[in-house]
């Protein structure tokens, strides 16, 4: 029993990590709470739903198209709602436009898809395999694999690719990055695009493993991404991973061993306790190293 | 090579530069001196595009560059080593240098340049895989200069390269600036160490309250009473 709960927890944690990476990266670059993050990924997941359930597209192509649509929407939100406000005196101003963007996306999606829970088709064969006497569903294995491949791949991209290094430099110091010749606006668009893509991938994997999707999951997604990012240390990629895992595991353990209605209170209790001990999150850096 | 004609720059309503004109020829090294808050850093930022002038014209190699984005100005051949070094603290020394060459595509030549700067600055070579934030102030300054040079600029803007460094490091930095000048790179040197700055250059500008007070031969400025009183602390 415990092993199975742990396996599901790790899978959900991997999905949460995917959703959190985009959110945390955007914060790392612009220090902006992107309230539209969850709604962007629900939009993309709903696009995937339509492509699969209505047009019976090949699952791989459907997920790809949905991820790109989410990425483009995220980049569009940055272009319309945040870019002109980047130089604004107060960060509160772009937080308000972020909330506005969230409502626009949420309500437009609701016009198209309604607010009921839709049944999301499975992406992987509905079977399970037995490993060392433990039964694991194929969906869980695939979900975990996809999440791990994307996260590891993205990490390698940041570390070794020129454009990835440029993203890290921009998140550290925008003016100095521009002096190096890094195109700032384009880099920020790419970060938003990737954030949207990873969010949609997370959303699709989540909906496919629970066979359900609804608009209301968007706001919850934003909250999860925020909580996981803050627990792990906002702006840090490793932090997003750890935060997502802690949330995924704790939610599942609490739902099974305590009660699912205690899921959120205990999750936030964890958030508060971690912040009391380490206000910058587990991997969060204090602004040291600056001379 | 670079010609600045009557630029005005302001932050919001605060006027920082008014009617500043400046000129530097290919391969020349020119000092810009003045007290804190005179507008020297803002002047460099206006050239490199970090700040837009409200009025005036900046021409670099027959190209008008006022108000152009910084990433395009690097492409034109101007590298700005900002005040306070601003190395990418969470990246390694090597990555900092590679990012300095962001606009270049000649991978082999980039690698050669990196090795070259590791010879000029041996301490950077020893610490190539260390995070830049763990370097000492002097090492960070060397890294910032080397990173600026990685773009292979025709004009280098150096903002207070000796600030906060121990005396022997100050000498080292000035020795390297001399070397760069010998290699034919044009350099605008903003310095608080006025004596050294006037000794290494042949021409200098003196800026006060956002205006160029006077400019001329560095040797004459060293002998000038006003300069001796205000900047060299002599009476």
């Amino acid at each position: 029993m415990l092993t199975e709960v742990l396996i599901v927890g790790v899978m959900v944690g991997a999905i949460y990590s995917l959703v959190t990476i985009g959110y945390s990266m955007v914060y790392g670059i612009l220090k902006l709470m992107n309230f539209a993050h969850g709604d962007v990924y629900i939009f993309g997941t709903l696009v995937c739903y339509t492509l699969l359930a209505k047009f019976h597209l090949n699952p791989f192509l459907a997920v790809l198209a949905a991820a790109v649509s989410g990425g483009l929407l995220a980049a569009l939100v940055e272009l319309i709602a945040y870019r002109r406000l980047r130089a604004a005196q107060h960060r509160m101003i772009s937080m308000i436009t972020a909330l506005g963007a969230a409502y626009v996306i949420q309500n437009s999606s609701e016009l198209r898809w309604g607010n009921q829970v839709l049944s999301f088709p499975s992406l992987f064969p509905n079977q399970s395999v037995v490993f060392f006497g433990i039964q694991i569903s194929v969906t869980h294995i695939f979900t975990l694999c996809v999440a791990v491949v994307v996260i590891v791949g993205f990490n390698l991209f940041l570390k070794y690719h020129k454009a990835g290094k440029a993203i890290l430099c921009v998140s550290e110091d925008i003016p100095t990055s521009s002096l190096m010749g890094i195109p700032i606006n384009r880099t920020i668009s790419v970060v938003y695009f990737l954030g949207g893509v990873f969010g949609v991938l997370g959303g699709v994997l989540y909906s496919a493993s629970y066979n359900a999707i609804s608009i209301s999951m968007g706001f919850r997604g934003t909250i999860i991404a925020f909580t996981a990012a803050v627990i792990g240390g906002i702006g840090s990629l490793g932090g997003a991973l750890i935060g997502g895992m802690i949330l995924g595991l704790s939610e599942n353990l609490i739902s099974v061993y305590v009660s699912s209605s205690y899921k959120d209170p205990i999750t936030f209790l964890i958030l508060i306790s971690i912040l009391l001990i380490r206000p910058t999150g587990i991997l969060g850096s204090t602004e040291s190293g600056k001379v | 090579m670079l010609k600045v004609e009557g630029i005005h720059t302001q932050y919001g309503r605060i006027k920082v530069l008014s009617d500043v004109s400046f000129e530097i020829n290919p391969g020349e090294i020119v000092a810009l001196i003045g007290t804190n808050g005179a507008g020297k850093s803002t002047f460099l930022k206006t050239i490199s595009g970090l700040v837009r002038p409200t009025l005036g014209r900046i021409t670099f190699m027959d190209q008008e560059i006022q108000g152009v984005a910084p990433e395009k100005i690097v492409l034109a051949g101007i590298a700005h080593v900002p005040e306070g070094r601003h190395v990418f603290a969470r990246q390694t020394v090597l990555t900092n240098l590679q990012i300095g060459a962001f606009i270049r595509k000649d991978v082999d030549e980039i690698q050669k340049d990196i090795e070259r700067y590791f010879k000029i600055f041996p301490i950077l070579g020893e610490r190539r895989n260390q995070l830049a934030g763990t370097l000492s102030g002097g090492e960070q300054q060397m890294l910032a200069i080397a990173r600026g040079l990685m773009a292979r600029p025709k004009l280098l803007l150096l903002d207070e390269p000796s600030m906060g460094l121990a005396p022997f490091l100050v000498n080292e930095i000035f020795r390297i600036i001399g070397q760069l000048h010998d290699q034919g790179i044009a350099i605008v040197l903003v310095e608080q160490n006025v004596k050294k700055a006037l000794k290494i250059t042949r021409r200098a500008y003196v800026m006060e309250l956002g205006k160029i007070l006077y400019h001329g031969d560095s040797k004459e400025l060293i002998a000038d009473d006003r300069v001796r009183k205000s900047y060299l602390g002599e009476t």
Side-chain angles (χ1 to χ4, degrees):
Chain A
M1 178 71 176
L2 178 65
T3 9
E4 275 156 37
V5 176
L6 285 177
I7 288 167
V8 176
V10 167
M11 180 203 72
V12 173
I15 293 173
Y16 285 178
S17 300
L18 262 182
V19 176
T20 308
I21 283 175
Y23 185 86
S24 200
M25 228 174 15
V26 162
Y27 183 86
I29 281 201
L30 294 179
K31 311 285 174 277
L32 166 71
M33 298 289 174
N34 185 8
F35 285 114
H37 187 66
D39 299 293
V40 164
Y41 95 63
I42 283 303
F43 166 82
T45 311
L46 286 166
V47 167
C48 189
Y49 162 81
T50 301
L51 292 176
L52 286 171
K54 299 277 184 313
F55 294 98
H56 305 290
L57 202 66
N58 169 300
F60 181 76
L61 287 179
V63 174
L64 193 70
V68 170
S69 77
L72 290 177
L73 181 62
L76 193 69
V77 167
E78 189 270 327
L79 190 68
I80 295 173
Y82 308 151
R83 181 159 298 182
R84 284 149 187 269
L85 295 170
R86 211 183 294 153
Q89 297 270 322
H90 208 295
R91 263 190 280 163
M92 192 59 86
I93 297 171
S94 44
M95 262 167 85
I96 292 167
T97 55
L99 263 179
Y103 277 117
V104 170
I105 298 168
Q106 194 183 335
N107 288 299
S108 332
S109 304
E110 200 170 322
L111 277 179
R112 171 68 188 75
W113 285 284
N115 60 3
Q116 71 281 33
V117 177
L118 301 166
S119 123
F120 199 93
S122 296
L123 287 176
F124 308 109
N126 205 358
Q127 292 164 342
S128 47
V129 285
V130 178
F131 266 122
F132 306 106
I134 306 156
Q135 203 176 12
I136 310 172
S137 91
V138 171
T139 301
H140 291 168
I141 297 174
F142 272 109
T143 302
L144 192 62
C145 286
V146 173
V148 168
V149 165
V150 171
I151 291 168
V152 170
F154 181 59
N155 205 2
L156 292 175
F157 167 75
L158 286 181
K159 270 219 173 93
Y160 297 107
H161 195 276
K162 188 173 164 181
K165 289 178 194 171
I167 288 177
L168 292 178
C169 288
V170 172
S171 73
E172 221 180 291
D173 185 339
I174 291 182
T176 306
S177 297
S178 72
L179 289 180
M180 302 296 115
I182 299 171
I184 303 301
N185 283 337
R186 207 196 311 159
T187 307
I188 289 174
S189 293
V190 167
V191 167
Y192 271 84
F193 177 82
L194 290 176
V197 166
F198 297 156
V200 173
L201 283 179
V204 167
L205 290 173
Y206 190 87
S207 305
S209 41
Y210 289 97
N211 293 115
I213 174 145
S214 76
I215 298 278
S216 63
M217 284 158 71
F219 182 66
R220 186 170 161 73
T222 305
I223 297 295
I224 285 170
F226 170 77
T227 314
V230 171
I231 287 178
I234 197 156
S236 140
L237 196 65
L241 279 183
I242 294 178
M245 274 300 161
I246 290 180
L247 272 197
L249 280 169
S250 66
E251 273 192 18
N252 276 281
L253 288 170
I254 295 160
S255 301
V256 174
Y257 292 105
V258 188
S259 147
S260 61
S261 50
Y262 279 108
K263 193 168 75 174
D264 286 348
I266 297 185
T267 303
F268 282 104
L269 204 63
I270 295 175
L271 172 71
I272 293 167
S273 351
I274 288 178
L275 287 186
L276 281 176
I277 302 164
R278 271 190 72 90
T280 54
I282 294 172
L283 290 187
S285 58
T286 46
E287 289 285 289
S288 68
K290 277 197 175 170
V291 187
Chain B
M1 174 181 228
L2 177 81
K3 199 170 181 186
V4 177
E5 293 164 278
I7 56 162
H8 294 249
T9 301
Q10 51 190 69
Y11 294 127
R13 278 190 215 145
I14 303 159
K15 286 185 181 145
V16 184
L17 299 180
S18 58
D19 198 23
V20 173
S21 295
F22 180 97
E23 202 170 345
I24 181 167
N25 299 312
E28 197 185 11
I29 175 165
V30 174
L32 175 62
I33 58 175
T35 48
N36 272 338
K40 302 176 304 259
S41 292
T42 304
F43 175 70
L44 293 190
K45 284 182 186 169
T46 311
I47 297 175
S48 64
L50 286 175
V51 177
R52 278 164 185 265
T54 45
L55 258 180
R57 186 159 64 161
I58 306 174
T59 329
F60 180 66
M61 313 206 357
D62 305 321
Q63 228 182 319
E64 276 196 29
I65 56 161
Q66 72 274 12
V68 173
E71 53 257 38
K72 301 233 166 75
I73 289 181
V74 193
L75 273 174
I78 300 179
H80 179 178
V81 179
E83 180 183 3
R85 311 182 263 275
H86 287 276
V87 294
F88 296 108
R90 294 198 293 263
Q91 308 303 319
T92 63
V93 169
L94 191 61
T95 304
N96 268 274
L97 293 177
Q98 287 165 340
I99 282 295
F102 186 85
I103 56 167
R104 292 169 55 190
K105 296 202 167 63
D106 46 346
V107 182
D108 295 343
E109 286 293 305
I110 291 174
Q111 197 50 44
K112 273 186 204 159
D113 279 6
I114 290 177
E115 292 306 326
R116 196 154 70 95
Y117 292 122
F118 282 162
K119 277 205 189 94
I120 298 176
F121 306 101
I123 191 76
L124 296 183
E126 282 168 36
R127 315 212 151 164
R128 66 177 77 196
N129 294 320
Q130 221 168 296
L131 295 186
T134 64
L135 301 181
S136 73
E139 290 159 2
Q140 288 191 7
Q141 186 62 59
M142 292 177 194
L143 179 58
I145 294 175
R147 184 184 62 181
L149 291 167
M150 285 301 297
R152 289 201 173 169
K154 298 177 189 88
L155 172 66
L156 188 65
L157 312 176
L158 287 178
D159 197 350
E160 305 280 9
S162 78
M163 190 171 63
L165 300 187
F168 74 98
L169 278 172
V170 173
N171 290 335
E172 176 71 5
I173 293 284
F174 271 92
R175 191 183 60 77
I176 287 158
I177 294 171
Q179 266 183 22
L180 297 175
H181 172 55
D182 292 342
Q183 287 168 24
I185 302 172
I187 299 171
V188 179
L189 176 63
V190 166
E191 252 302 332
Q192 284 190 322
N193 194 325
V194 173
K195 208 176 219 169
K196 278 197 168 357
L198 291 178
K199 273 190 183 147
I200 204 173
T201 56
R202 292 179 68 178
R203 268 190 334 115
Y205 288 75
V206 179
M207 184 180 264
E208 267 328 307
L209 298 170
K211 291 188 177 120
I212 299 290
L213 272 193
Y214 33 87
H215 64 100
D217 198 274
S218 298
K219 268 188 200 146
E220 282 172 23
L221 284 174
I222 280 192
D224 190 293
D225 272 350
R226 294 170 296 184
V227 173
R228 296 181 80 91
K229 258 192 196 156
S230 309
Y231 308 112
L232 299 176
E234 294 172 15
T235 46

